[in-house]
Coordinates of all heavy atoms in Angstrom, one line a residue:
M1 N 3.7 35.5 -45.3 CA 4.6 35.8 -44.2 C 4.9 37.3 -44.3 O 5.2 37.9 -45.3 CB 6.0 35.1 -44.4 CG 7.0 35.5 -43.3 SD 8.6 34.8 -43.6 CE 8.4 33.1 -43.5
T2 N 4.7 38.0 -43.1 CA 5.0 39.4 -43.0 C 6.5 39.6 -42.7 O 7.1 38.7 -42.3 CB 4.1 40.1 -41.9 OG1 4.6 39.6 -40.7 CG2 2.7 39.8 -42.1
I3 N 6.9 40.8 -42.9 CA 8.3 41.1 -42.6 C 8.6 40.9 -41.1 O 9.7 40.5 -40.7 CB 8.7 42.5 -43.0 CG1 10.3 42.8 -42.9 CG2 8.0 43.6 -42.3 CD1 11.1 41.9 -43.8
D4 N 7.6 41.2 -40.3 CA 7.7 41.0 -38.8 C 7.8 39.5 -38.5 O 8.6 39.1 -37.6 CB 6.6 41.6 -38.0 CG 6.6 43.2 -38.1 OD1 7.8 43.7 -38.3 OD2 5.6 43.8 -38.0
D5 N 7.0 38.7 -39.2 CA 7.1 37.2 -39.0 C 8.5 36.7 -39.4 O 9.1 35.9 -38.8 CB 6.0 36.5 -39.9 CG 4.6 36.8 -39.4 OD1 4.4 37.1 -38.3 OD2 3.7 36.6 -40.3
Y6 N 9.0 37.2 -40.6 CA 10.3 36.8 -41.0 C 11.4 37.2 -40.0 O 12.2 36.4 -39.7 CB 10.6 37.5 -42.4 CG 12.0 37.1 -42.9 CD1 12.2 36.0 -43.6 CD2 13.1 37.9 -42.6 CE1 13.5 35.6 -44.1 CE2 14.4 37.6 -43.0 CZ 14.6 36.5 -43.7 OH 15.8 36.1 -44.2
A7 N 11.3 38.4 -39.5 CA 12.3 38.8 -38.5 C 12.3 38.0 -37.2 O 13.3 37.7 -36.7 CB 12.1 40.3 -38.1
A8 N 11.1 37.6 -36.8 CA 11.0 36.8 -35.6 C 11.6 35.4 -35.9 O 12.3 34.8 -35.1 CB 9.5 36.6 -35.2
W9 N 11.4 34.9 -37.1 CA 12.0 33.6 -37.5 C 13.5 33.8 -37.6 O 14.3 33.0 -37.0 CB 11.5 33.2 -38.9 CG 12.3 32.1 -39.4 CD1 12.3 30.8 -39.1 CD2 13.4 32.2 -40.3 NE1 13.2 30.1 -39.7 CE2 14.0 31.0 -40.5 CE3 13.9 33.3 -41.0 CZ2 15.0 30.8 -41.4 CZ3 15.0 33.1 -41.8 CH2 15.6 31.9 -42.0
A10 N 14.0 34.9 -38.2 CA 15.4 35.1 -38.4 C 16.1 35.2 -37.0 O 17.1 34.6 -36.8 CB 15.7 36.3 -39.2
A11 N 15.4 35.9 -36.1 CA 16.0 36.0 -34.8 C 16.1 34.7 -34.0 O 17.0 34.5 -33.2 CB 15.2 37.1 -34.0
S12 N 15.1 33.8 -34.4 CA 15.1 32.5 -33.7 C 16.2 31.6 -34.1 O 16.4 30.6 -33.5 CB 13.7 31.9 -33.9 OG 13.6 31.3 -35.2
T13 N 16.8 31.9 -35.2 CA 17.9 31.1 -35.8 C 19.2 31.2 -35.1 O 20.2 30.5 -35.3 CB 18.1 31.3 -37.3 OG1 18.6 32.6 -37.5 CG2 16.8 31.0 -38.0
A14 N 19.3 32.3 -34.2 CA 20.6 32.5 -33.6 C 20.4 32.8 -32.1 O 19.3 33.2 -31.7 CB 21.3 33.7 -34.2
K15 N 21.4 32.6 -31.3 CA 21.3 32.8 -29.9 C 21.6 34.3 -29.6 O 22.8 34.7 -29.8 CB 22.3 32.0 -29.2 CG 22.1 30.5 -29.3 CD 23.2 29.7 -28.7 CE 23.6 28.5 -29.5 NZ 24.9 28.0 -29.4
G16 N 20.6 35.0 -29.3 CA 20.8 36.4 -29.0 C 20.4 36.7 -27.6 O 19.5 36.1 -27.1
T17 N 21.0 37.7 -27.0 CA 20.7 38.1 -25.6 C 20.1 39.5 -25.7 O 20.3 40.2 -26.6 CB 21.9 38.1 -24.7 OG1 22.9 39.0 -25.2 CG2 22.5 36.7 -24.6
Q18 N 19.3 39.8 -24.7 CA 18.8 41.2 -24.6 C 19.3 41.8 -23.3 O 19.1 41.2 -22.3 CB 17.3 41.3 -24.6 CG 16.7 41.1 -26.0 CD 17.0 42.2 -27.0 OE1 17.4 43.3 -26.6 NE2 17.0 41.9 -28.3
P19 N 20.0 42.9 -23.3 CA 20.4 43.6 -24.5 C 21.4 42.9 -25.3 O 22.2 42.1 -24.7 CB 20.9 45.0 -24.0 CG 21.4 44.7 -22.7 CD 20.5 43.6 -22.1
P20 N 21.6 43.1 -26.6 CA 22.6 42.4 -27.4 C 24.0 42.9 -27.0 O 24.2 44.0 -26.6 CB 22.3 42.8 -28.8 CG 21.5 44.1 -28.7 CD 20.8 44.0 -27.4
T21 N 24.9 41.9 -27.0 CA 26.3 42.3 -26.7 C 26.9 43.1 -27.9 O 26.4 43.1 -29.0 CB 27.1 41.0 -26.6 OG1 27.1 40.3 -27.8 CG2 26.6 40.1 -25.4
H22 N 27.9 43.8 -27.6 CA 28.6 44.5 -28.7 C 29.1 43.5 -29.7 O 29.1 43.8 -30.9 CB 29.8 45.3 -28.1 CG 29.4 46.5 -27.3 ND1 30.3 47.3 -26.7 CD2 28.2 46.9 -26.9 CE1 29.6 48.2 -26.0 NE2 28.3 48.0 -26.1
E23 N 29.5 42.3 -29.3 CA 30.0 41.3 -30.2 C 28.9 40.9 -31.1 O 29.1 40.7 -32.4 CB 30.6 40.1 -29.5 CG 31.1 39.0 -30.3 CD 31.6 37.8 -29.6 OE1 31.2 37.6 -28.4 OE2 32.5 37.1 -30.1
R24 N 27.7 40.7 -30.6 CA 26.5 40.3 -31.4 C 26.2 41.3 -32.4 O 26.0 41.0 -33.6 CB 25.3 40.0 -30.5 CG 24.1 39.6 -31.2 CD 24.1 38.2 -31.7 NE 22.8 37.9 -32.4 CZ 22.7 37.1 -33.5 NH1 23.8 36.6 -34.0 NH2 21.6 36.9 -34.0
L25 N 26.1 42.6 -32.0 CA 25.8 43.7 -32.9 C 26.9 43.8 -34.0 O 26.5 44.1 -35.2 CB 25.6 45.0 -32.2 CG 24.4 45.1 -31.3 CD1 24.4 46.4 -30.5 CD2 23.1 45.0 -32.1
S26 N 28.1 43.6 -33.6 CA 29.2 43.7 -34.6 C 29.1 42.6 -35.6 O 29.2 42.8 -36.8 CB 30.6 43.6 -33.9 OG 30.7 44.7 -33.0
Y27 N 28.8 41.4 -35.1 CA 28.7 40.2 -36.0 C 27.6 40.5 -37.0 O 27.7 40.3 -38.2 CB 28.4 39.0 -35.2 CG 28.1 37.8 -36.0 CD1 29.1 37.0 -36.6 CD2 26.7 37.4 -36.3 CE1 28.8 35.9 -37.4 CE2 26.5 36.3 -37.1 CZ 27.5 35.5 -37.6 OH 27.2 34.5 -38.4
L28 N 26.4 40.9 -36.5 CA 25.3 41.2 -37.4 C 25.6 42.3 -38.4 O 25.2 42.3 -39.6 CB 24.0 41.5 -36.6 CG 23.5 40.3 -35.8 CD1 22.3 40.8 -34.9 CD2 23.1 39.1 -36.7
G29 N 26.2 43.4 -37.9 CA 26.5 44.5 -38.8 C 27.5 44.1 -39.8 O 27.4 44.5 -41.0
L30 N 28.5 43.4 -39.4 CA 29.5 42.9 -40.4 C 28.8 42.0 -41.4 O 29.2 42.0 -42.6 CB 30.7 42.3 -39.7 CG 31.6 43.2 -39.0 CD1 32.6 42.4 -38.1 CD2 32.3 44.2 -39.9
G31 N 27.9 41.1 -40.9 CA 27.2 40.2 -41.9 C 26.4 41.0 -42.9 O 26.4 40.7 -44.1
L32 N 25.7 42.1 -42.4 CA 24.9 42.9 -43.3 C 25.8 43.6 -44.3 O 25.5 43.6 -45.5 CB 24.2 44.0 -42.5 CG 23.4 45.0 -43.3 CD1 22.2 44.3 -44.0 CD2 22.8 46.0 -42.3
A33 N 26.9 44.1 -43.9 CA 27.9 44.8 -44.8 C 28.4 43.8 -45.8 O 28.6 44.1 -47.0 CB 29.0 45.5 -44.0
G34 N 28.7 42.6 -45.3 CA 29.3 41.6 -46.2 C 28.3 41.2 -47.3 O 28.7 41.1 -48.5
E35 N 27.1 41.0 -46.9 CA 26.1 40.6 -47.9 C 25.8 41.8 -48.9 O 25.6 41.6 -50.1 CB 24.8 40.2 -47.2 CG 24.9 38.9 -46.3 CD 25.4 37.7 -47.1 OE1 25.3 37.7 -48.3 OE2 25.9 36.8 -46.4
A36 N 25.8 43.0 -48.4 CA 25.6 44.2 -49.3 C 26.8 44.2 -50.3 O 26.6 44.6 -51.4 CB 25.5 45.5 -48.5
G37 N 28.0 43.8 -49.8 CA 29.1 43.8 -50.7 C 28.9 42.7 -51.8 O 29.4 42.9 -52.9
E38 N 28.3 41.6 -51.4 CA 28.0 40.6 -52.4 C 27.0 41.1 -53.5 O 27.2 40.8 -54.7 CB 27.5 39.3 -51.7 CG 28.6 38.6 -50.9 CD 28.1 37.3 -50.3 OE1 27.6 36.5 -51.1 OE2 28.3 37.1 -49.1
V39 N 26.1 41.9 -53.1 CA 25.2 42.6 -54.0 C 26.0 43.5 -54.9 O 25.8 43.5 -56.2 CB 24.1 43.4 -53.3 CG1 23.3 44.2 -54.3 CG2 23.1 42.4 -52.6
A40 N 26.9 44.3 -54.3 CA 27.7 45.2 -55.1 C 28.6 44.4 -56.1 O 28.9 44.9 -57.2 CB 28.5 46.0 -54.1
E41 N 29.0 43.3 -55.7 CA 29.9 42.5 -56.6 C 29.1 42.1 -57.9 O 29.7 42.1 -59.0 CB 30.3 41.2 -55.9 CG 31.2 40.3 -56.7 CD 32.6 40.8 -56.9 OE1 33.0 41.8 -56.2 OE2 33.3 40.3 -57.8
H42 N 27.8 41.8 -57.7 CA 27.0 41.5 -58.9 C 26.9 42.7 -59.8 O 27.0 42.6 -61.1 CB 25.7 41.0 -58.5 CG 25.7 39.6 -58.1 ND1 25.8 38.5 -58.9 CD2 25.6 39.0 -56.8 CE1 25.8 37.4 -58.2 NE2 25.7 37.7 -56.9
I43 N 26.8 43.9 -59.2 CA 26.7 45.1 -60.0 C 28.0 45.4 -60.7 O 28.1 45.8 -61.8 CB 26.2 46.3 -59.1 CG1 24.8 46.0 -58.6 CG2 26.2 47.6 -59.9 CD1 24.3 46.9 -57.5
K44 N 29.1 45.2 -60.0 CA 30.4 45.4 -60.6 C 30.6 44.5 -61.8 O 31.1 44.9 -62.8 CB 31.5 45.0 -59.6 CG 32.9 45.2 -60.1 CD 34.0 44.4 -59.4 CE 33.9 43.0 -59.9 NZ 34.9 42.1 -59.3
K45 N 30.2 43.2 -61.7 CA 30.3 42.3 -62.8 C 29.4 42.7 -64.0 O 29.7 42.5 -65.1 CB 29.9 40.9 -62.4 CG 31.0 40.2 -61.5 CD 30.6 38.9 -61.0 CE 31.7 38.3 -60.1 NZ 31.4 37.0 -59.5
L46 N 28.3 43.3 -63.6 CA 27.4 43.9 -64.7 C 28.2 45.0 -65.5 O 28.1 45.0 -66.7 CB 26.1 44.5 -64.1 CG 25.2 45.2 -65.0 CD1 24.7 44.3 -66.2 CD2 24.1 45.9 -64.3
L47 N 28.8 45.8 -64.7 CA 29.6 46.9 -65.4 C 30.8 46.3 -66.2 O 31.1 46.7 -67.3 CB 30.1 47.9 -64.4 CG 29.0 48.7 -63.7 CD1 29.6 49.6 -62.6 CD2 28.3 49.6 -64.7
R48 N 31.4 45.3 -65.6 CA 32.6 44.7 -66.2 C 32.3 43.8 -67.4 O 32.9 43.9 -68.5 CB 33.4 43.9 -65.2 CG 34.7 43.3 -65.8 CD 35.4 42.4 -64.8 NE 34.6 41.2 -64.7 CZ 34.7 40.3 -63.7 NH1 35.6 40.5 -62.7 NH2 33.9 39.2 -63.6
D49 N 31.3 43.0 -67.2 CA 31.0 42.0 -68.3 C 29.7 42.2 -69.1 O 29.5 41.6 -70.1 CB 30.8 40.6 -67.6 CG 32.0 40.2 -66.7 OD1 33.2 40.7 -67.0 OD2 31.8 39.5 -65.7
G50 N 28.9 43.2 -68.6 CA 27.7 43.5 -69.3 C 26.6 42.4 -69.1 O 25.6 42.5 -69.8
T51 N 26.8 41.6 -68.1 CA 25.7 40.6 -67.8 C 25.4 40.6 -66.3 O 26.3 40.9 -65.5 CB 26.2 39.1 -68.2 OG1 27.4 38.8 -67.4 CG2 26.4 39.0 -69.7
L52 N 24.2 40.2 -66.0 CA 23.8 40.2 -64.6 C 23.1 38.9 -64.3 O 22.1 38.5 -65.0 CB 22.8 41.4 -64.3 CG 22.2 41.5 -62.9 CD1 23.3 41.7 -61.9 CD2 21.1 42.6 -62.8
D53 N 23.5 38.2 -63.3 CA 22.9 37.0 -62.8 C 21.8 37.4 -61.8 O 22.1 37.5 -60.6 CB 23.9 36.1 -62.2 CG 23.3 34.7 -61.8 OD1 22.1 34.6 -61.6 OD2 24.1 33.8 -61.6
Q54 N 20.6 37.7 -62.3 CA 19.6 38.2 -61.5 C 19.2 37.3 -60.4 O 18.9 37.7 -59.3 CB 18.4 38.6 -62.3 CG 18.6 39.7 -63.3 CD 17.3 40.2 -63.9 OE1 16.2 40.0 -63.4 NE2 17.4 41.0 -65.0
A55 N 19.2 36.0 -60.6 CA 18.8 35.0 -59.6 C 19.8 35.0 -58.4 O 19.4 35.0 -57.3 CB 18.7 33.6 -60.2
A56 N 21.1 35.1 -58.8 CA 22.1 35.1 -57.8 C 22.1 36.4 -57.0 O 22.2 36.4 -55.8 CB 23.5 34.9 -58.4
M57 N 21.8 37.5 -57.7 CA 21.7 38.8 -57.0 C 20.5 38.8 -56.1 O 20.6 39.3 -54.9 CB 21.7 39.9 -58.0 CG 21.7 41.3 -57.3 SD 22.0 42.6 -58.6 CE 21.5 44.0 -57.6
A58 N 19.4 38.3 -56.5 CA 18.2 38.2 -55.7 C 18.5 37.4 -54.4 O 18.0 37.7 -53.3 CB 17.0 37.6 -56.4
E59 N 19.3 36.3 -54.5 CA 19.6 35.5 -53.4 C 20.4 36.4 -52.4 O 20.2 36.3 -51.2 CB 20.4 34.3 -53.8 CG 20.7 33.4 -52.7 CD 21.4 32.1 -53.1 OE1 21.0 31.6 -54.2 OE2 22.3 31.6 -52.4
E60 N 21.3 37.2 -52.9 CA 22.1 38.0 -52.0 C 21.2 39.1 -51.3 O 21.5 39.4 -50.2 CB 23.3 38.7 -52.8 CG 24.3 37.7 -53.4 CD 24.9 36.7 -52.4 OE1 24.8 37.0 -51.2 OE2 25.4 35.7 -52.9
L61 N 20.2 39.6 -52.1 CA 19.3 40.5 -51.4 C 18.6 39.9 -50.3 O 18.3 40.5 -49.2 CB 18.3 41.1 -52.5 CG 18.9 42.0 -53.5 CD1 17.9 42.3 -54.6 CD2 19.4 43.3 -52.9
G62 N 18.3 38.6 -50.4 CA 17.7 37.9 -49.3 C 18.6 37.8 -48.1 O 18.2 37.9 -46.9
D63 N 19.9 37.6 -48.4 CA 20.9 37.5 -47.3 C 21.0 38.8 -46.6 O 21.2 38.9 -45.4 CB 22.3 37.1 -47.9 CG 22.3 35.7 -48.4 OD1 21.3 34.9 -48.2 OD2 23.3 35.4 -49.2
V64 N 20.9 39.9 -47.4 CA 20.9 41.3 -46.8 C 19.8 41.4 -45.8 O 19.9 41.9 -44.7 CB 20.9 42.4 -47.9 CG1 20.5 43.7 -47.3 CG2 22.2 42.4 -48.7
V65 N 18.6 41.0 -46.2 CA 17.4 41.1 -45.4 C 17.5 40.3 -44.1 O 17.1 40.7 -43.1 CB 16.1 40.8 -46.2 CG1 14.9 40.6 -45.3 CG2 15.9 41.8 -47.3
Y66 N 18.1 39.1 -44.3 CA 18.3 38.3 -43.1 C 19.1 39.0 -42.0 O 18.6 39.1 -40.8 CB 19.1 37.0 -43.5 CG 19.4 36.1 -42.3 CD1 18.4 35.3 -41.7 CD2 20.7 36.2 -41.7 CE1 18.7 34.5 -40.5 CE2 21.0 35.4 -40.6 CZ 20.0 34.6 -40.0 OH 20.3 33.9 -38.9
Y67 N 20.2 39.6 -42.3 CA 21.0 40.3 -41.3 C 20.3 41.6 -40.9 O 20.3 41.9 -39.7 CB 22.4 40.6 -41.9 CG 23.3 39.4 -41.8 CD1 23.6 38.6 -42.9 CD2 23.8 38.9 -40.6 CE1 24.4 37.5 -42.9 CE2 24.6 37.8 -40.5 CZ 24.9 37.1 -41.7 OH 25.7 36.0 -41.6
W68 N 19.6 42.2 -41.8 CA 18.9 43.4 -41.4 C 17.8 43.1 -40.4 O 17.6 43.8 -39.4 CB 18.3 44.1 -42.7 CG 17.4 45.2 -42.4 CD1 17.8 46.5 -42.2 CD2 16.0 45.2 -42.3 NE1 16.7 47.3 -42.0 CE2 15.5 46.5 -42.0 CE3 15.0 44.2 -42.4 CZ2 14.2 46.9 -41.9 CZ3 13.7 44.5 -42.3 CH2 13.3 45.9 -42.0
A69 N 17.1 42.0 -40.7 CA 16.0 41.6 -39.8 C 16.5 41.2 -38.4 O 15.9 41.5 -37.4 CB 15.2 40.4 -40.4
C70 N 17.7 40.5 -38.4 CA 18.3 40.1 -37.1 C 18.7 41.3 -36.4 O 18.6 41.4 -35.1 CB 19.5 39.2 -37.4 SG 19.1 37.5 -37.9
L71 N 19.2 42.4 -37.1 CA 19.6 43.6 -36.4 C 18.4 44.3 -35.8 O 18.4 44.8 -34.7 CB 20.4 44.5 -37.3 CG 21.9 44.3 -37.4 CD1 22.5 45.1 -38.6 CD2 22.5 44.7 -36.1
C72 N 17.3 44.3 -36.6 CA 16.0 44.9 -36.0 C 15.6 44.2 -34.7 O 15.3 44.8 -33.7 CB 14.9 44.8 -37.1 SG 15.0 45.9 -38.5
A73 N 15.7 42.9 -34.8 CA 15.3 42.1 -33.6 C 16.3 42.4 -32.4 O 15.8 42.5 -31.3 CB 15.3 40.6 -33.9
A74 N 17.5 42.4 -32.7 CA 18.5 42.7 -31.7 C 18.3 44.0 -31.0 O 18.6 44.2 -29.8 CB 20.0 42.6 -32.3
L75 N 17.8 45.0 -31.8 CA 17.5 46.3 -31.2 C 16.1 46.4 -30.6 O 15.7 47.5 -30.1 CB 17.7 47.4 -32.3 CG 19.1 47.5 -32.9 CD1 19.1 48.6 -34.0 CD2 20.1 47.9 -31.8
G76 N 15.4 45.3 -30.7 CA 14.0 45.3 -30.2 C 13.0 46.1 -31.0 O 12.0 46.6 -30.5
R77 N 13.3 46.2 -32.3 CA 12.5 47.0 -33.2 C 11.7 46.1 -34.1 O 12.3 45.2 -34.7 CB 13.3 48.0 -34.1 CG 14.2 48.9 -33.3 CD 13.4 49.9 -32.6 NE 14.3 50.8 -31.7 CZ 14.1 52.0 -31.4 NH1 12.9 52.6 -31.8 NH2 14.9 52.7 -30.7
K78 N 10.4 46.4 -34.4 CA 9.7 45.7 -35.3 C 10.1 46.2 -36.7 O 10.0 47.4 -37.0 CB 8.2 45.9 -35.1 CG 7.6 45.2 -33.9 CD 6.1 45.4 -33.7 CE 5.4 44.7 -34.8 NZ 3.9 44.7 -34.5
P79 N 10.4 45.3 -37.6 CA 10.8 45.7 -39.0 C 9.7 46.6 -39.6 O 10.1 47.5 -40.3 CB 11.0 44.4 -39.7 CG 11.5 43.5 -38.6 CD 10.7 43.8 -37.4
S80 N 8.5 46.2 -39.4 CA 7.4 47.0 -40.1 C 7.5 48.5 -39.6 O 7.2 49.4 -40.4 CB 6.0 46.4 -39.8 OG 5.8 46.4 -38.4
E81 N 7.9 48.7 -38.3 CA 8.0 50.1 -37.8 C 9.2 50.8 -38.4 O 9.2 52.0 -38.7 CB 8.0 50.0 -36.3 CG 6.7 49.6 -35.7 CD 6.7 49.3 -34.2 OE1 7.8 49.4 -33.6 OE2 5.7 49.0 -33.6
V82 N 10.3 50.0 -38.5 CA 11.5 50.6 -39.1 C 11.2 51.0 -40.6 O 11.6 52.1 -41.0 CB 12.7 49.6 -39.1 CG1 13.9 50.1 -39.9 CG2 13.0 49.3 -37.6
L83 N 10.5 50.1 -41.3 CA 10.1 50.4 -42.7 C 9.2 51.6 -42.8 O 9.4 52.5 -43.7 CB 9.5 49.2 -43.4 CG 10.4 48.0 -43.6 CD1 9.6 46.8 -44.1 CD2 11.5 48.3 -44.5
A84 N 8.2 51.7 -41.9 CA 7.3 52.9 -41.9 C 8.1 54.2 -41.6 O 7.8 55.2 -42.2 CB 6.2 52.7 -40.8
A85 N 9.0 54.1 -40.7 CA 9.8 55.3 -40.4 C 10.7 55.7 -41.6 O 10.9 56.9 -41.9 CB 10.7 55.1 -39.1
S86 N 11.2 54.7 -42.2 CA 12.0 55.0 -43.4 C 11.2 55.6 -44.5 O 11.6 56.6 -45.2 CB 12.6 53.6 -43.9 OG 13.3 53.8 -45.2
K87 N 10.0 55.1 -44.7 CA 9.1 55.6 -45.7 C 8.8 57.1 -45.4 O 8.9 58.0 -46.3 CB 7.8 54.8 -45.8 CG 6.8 55.3 -46.8 CD 5.6 54.5 -46.8 CE 4.6 55.1 -47.8 NZ 3.2 54.6 -47.7
A88 N 8.5 57.4 -44.2 CA 8.2 58.7 -43.8 C 9.4 59.7 -44.0 O 9.2 60.8 -44.4 CB 7.7 58.8 -42.3
K89 N 10.6 59.2 -43.7 CA 11.8 60.0 -43.9 C 12.0 60.3 -45.3 O 12.3 61.5 -45.7 CB 13.0 59.2 -43.3 CG 14.3 59.9 -43.4 CD 15.4 59.0 -42.8 CE 16.7 59.6 -42.9 NZ 17.8 58.7 -42.3
V90 N 11.8 59.3 -46.2 CA 12.0 59.6 -47.6 C 11.0 60.5 -48.1 O 11.3 61.4 -48.9 CB 12.0 58.2 -48.4 CG1 12.0 58.5 -49.9 CG2 13.2 57.4 -48.1
E91 N 9.7 60.3 -47.7 CA 8.7 61.2 -48.1 C 8.9 62.7 -47.7 O 8.6 63.6 -48.4 CB 7.3 60.7 -47.6 CG 6.8 59.5 -48.4 CD 5.6 58.9 -47.9 OE1 5.2 59.2 -46.7 OE2 5.0 58.1 -48.6
R92 N 9.4 62.8 -46.5 CA 9.8 64.2 -46.0 C 10.8 64.8 -46.9 O 10.8 66.0 -47.3 CB 10.3 64.2 -44.6 CG 9.2 64.1 -43.5 CD 9.8 64.4 -42.1 NE 10.9 63.7 -41.7 CZ 10.9 62.4 -41.2 NH1 9.7 61.8 -41.0 NH2 11.9 61.8 -40.9
R93 N 11.8 64.0 -47.3 CA 12.9 64.5 -48.2 C 12.4 64.9 -49.6 O 12.8 65.8 -50.2 CB 14.0 63.5 -48.3 CG 14.9 63.4 -47.1 CD 16.0 62.4 -47.3 NE 16.8 62.2 -46.1 CZ 17.7 61.3 -45.9 NH1 17.9 60.4 -46.9 NH2 18.4 61.2 -44.8
L94 N 11.4 64.1 -50.1 CA 10.9 64.3 -51.4 C 10.0 65.5 -51.4 O 9.8 66.1 -52.5 CB 10.2 63.1 -51.9 CG 11.0 61.8 -52.1 CD1 10.1 60.6 -52.5 CD2 12.1 62.1 -53.2
G95 N 9.4 65.8 -50.3 CA 8.5 66.9 -50.2 C 7.1 66.6 -50.8 O 6.9 65.5 -51.3
P96 N 6.3 67.6 -50.8 CA 4.9 67.4 -51.3 C 4.9 67.2 -52.9 O 5.7 67.6 -53.6 CB 4.2 68.7 -50.9 CG 5.2 69.7 -50.7 CD 6.5 69.0 -50.3
Ligands
MG101 MG1 25.4 35.9 -49.5

């Protein structure tokens, strides 16, 4: 499965309109932030307890990708293109 296939599947799991409503974008953005917070919680517990539940953290990373993919779809962007643009941006910052 490619990231674009995944995003198409993720978008199919919810009722979205084009263009997306402000409510829909807000819901997805808050979902993304919430899942990122769950990842951060695992890192906090690593600092506090010295242990990391890698499987649980990986599951949260999947949740992050779900909302990210849905946001890409809501914006009409192919995830592969968003990733390529991100790679190019980082490479520009890193320089030759
Ligand atoms: Mg989660």
